[in-house]
Amino acid sequence: MKFNKTNDIYADLIQKLKNSGYSKSYVDRLGTEINWLIRNQNREDIQSYGDTCRIRISWTKSREMQITYRRVYKTLENFDL
């Protein structure tokens, strides 16, 4: 899947979240996932943010991280739309 946003647009999202008072850990996690998305966007098993979220969730047993992944990918999906 080709995600619709460029690095510059994602950087704008991160800056807006920082300015809006989002926690550093959440903004950092968002940046990590954006980088992961960009590096892996051509994988055949990724057709949507939901697919990506399911893949990332499958790599952890931590309930907290699973929730974080859902929040991050929902934020990215909403921003992309």
Side-chain angles (χ1 to χ4, degrees):
M1 171 180 180
K2 294 287 186 202
F3 293 93
N4 295 334
K5 304 299 179 199
T6 65
N7 287 343
D8 292 337
I9 301 296
Y10 281 130
D12 184 48
L13 169 64
I14 287 176
Q15 190 58 49
K16 286 180 182 179
L17 293 176
K18 285 179 182 178
N19 293 342
S20 296
Y22 280 77
S23 72
K24 180 178 179 344
S25 63
Y26 183 75
V27 173
D28 288 347
R29 171 55 52 193
L30 196 71
T32 298
E33 294 309 309
I34 288 168
N35 290 331
W36 192 92
L37 269 173
I38 291 168
R39 285 190 320 270
N40 292 281
Q41 67 181 329
N42 293 322
R43 286 177 49 155
E44 289 183 21
D45 57 344
I46 296 177
Q47 298 300 315
S48 67
Y49 288 103
D51 291 341
T52 308
C53 185
R54 283 186 288 282
I55 290 167
R56 299 297 275 161
I57 285 173
S58 73
W59 293 354
T60 184
K61 294 190 186 291
S62 165
R63 182 77 175 134
E64 185 177 316
M65 277 308 299
Q66 291 172 352
I67 291 168
T68 299
Y69 284 134
R70 284 187 188 100
R71 286 181 182 150
V72 165
Y73 284 100
K74 193 60 166 171
T75 298
L76 291 173
E77 183 177 41
N78 288 339
F79 180 69
D80 203 12
L81 295 175

